[in-house]
Amino acid sequence: MSEYLKQLIILDNKLEEKEDLKADDSLEIINKMSSLLKHLNNDELLYVLNNLVCIHQVIDVDAYFKKYKINKKKLKEENSYKEAFQRLSSFVERIQDASLSEYEYQYICKLCDVDNVSDYLLKNMDNNSIMELSKESDDWNYKLFLFSNFKS
């Protein structure tokens, strides 16, 4: 847990105990929270969505998500596209779990650019890896999606 996240949790608790806070103090806390959110990575933002209470009433946490990053050079050297795709899929599942609605889920996925990252990984993945991924799922729609990325 980063220092930024720890500070954010403390501030969220202060807002929760707002009986003692003046309007100016609340505004100062909200501004600090906004500043801290800029420093959090996507995993920490998912933690905020799942665990903090008051921040959602005053700040749109979704807006702080960043593009999902991959190291294309390292992926190519290690030929680890399948593993990267599995990590991306896990990340997308965590977004879905943290989202309150389908709209929020789609919004965060768009901010993180998961569709383009997924396309890149699948285009560079060999057919054997795609087949292995498809065997891990019982969902035929997902299998068909994966099969559509086979190379001829």
Side-chain angles (χ1 to χ4, degrees):
M1 184 179 298
S2 72
E3 270 308 307
Y4 298 116
L5 182 55
K6 288 177 186 175
Q7 291 175 26
L8 197 61
I9 292 169
I10 292 167
L11 292 173
D12 190 70
N13 290 335
K14 278 187 184 178
L15 266 185
E16 198 168 3
E17 302 160 357
K18 61 185 167 195
E19 302 117 21
D20 303 342
L21 292 178
K22 299 175 188 167
D24 291 343
D25 293 337
S26 293
L27 187 58
E28 185 179 330
I29 289 173
I30 292 167
N31 288 336
K32 285 181 184 177
M33 291 173 110
S34 180
S35 176
L36 291 169
L37 282 168
K38 294 174 186 175
H39 298 284
L40 299 184
N41 64 37
N42 288 341
D43 288 324
E44 291 171 325
L45 289 169
L46 286 173
Y47 178 88
V48 169
L49 286 179
N50 283 322
N51 297 294
L52 300 190
V53 178
C54 292
I55 192 168
H56 306 293
Q57 299 168 3
V58 293
I59 297 176
D60 179 16
V61 175
D62 298 348
Y64 291 89
F65 278 87
K66 298 150 188 79
K67 183 177 177 182
Y68 187 90
K69 294 183 182 182
I70 55 173
N71 184 335
K72 293 180 180 181
K73 183 179 178 183
K74 184 177 177 185
L75 287 171
K76 186 175 183 177
E77 288 172 0
E78 297 175 357
N79 193 23
S80 57
Y81 298 106
K82 177 185 165 198
E83 294 78 12
F85 186 81
Q86 289 170 319
R87 285 190 301 274
L88 176 65
S89 296
S90 173
F91 175 69
V92 170
E93 285 178 25
R94 287 182 288 145
I95 292 172
Q96 191 169 26
D97 291 342
S99 299
L100 295 175
S101 67
E102 181 68 19
Y103 173 78
E104 183 180 36
Y105 165 72
Q106 290 177 0
Y107 178 68
I108 295 171
C109 285
K110 184 175 178 157
L111 286 175
C112 295
D113 199 27
V114 294
D115 287 341
N116 287 329
V117 174
S118 172
D119 287 343
Y120 172 81
L121 294 170
L122 287 167
K123 283 181 180 157
N124 288 286
M125 201 179 300
D126 60 38
N127 288 344
N128 288 335
S129 296
I130 293 173
M131 188 59 121
E132 289 171 15
L133 285 173
S134 72
K135 289 179 182 177
E136 295 172 2
S137 175
D138 293 331
D139 181 355
W140 276 97
N141 288 326
Y142 181 66
K143 287 178 184 273
L144 290 173
F145 163 72
L146 290 172
F147 293 157
S148 71
N149 289 281
F150 273 149
K151 285 94 182 148
S152 45

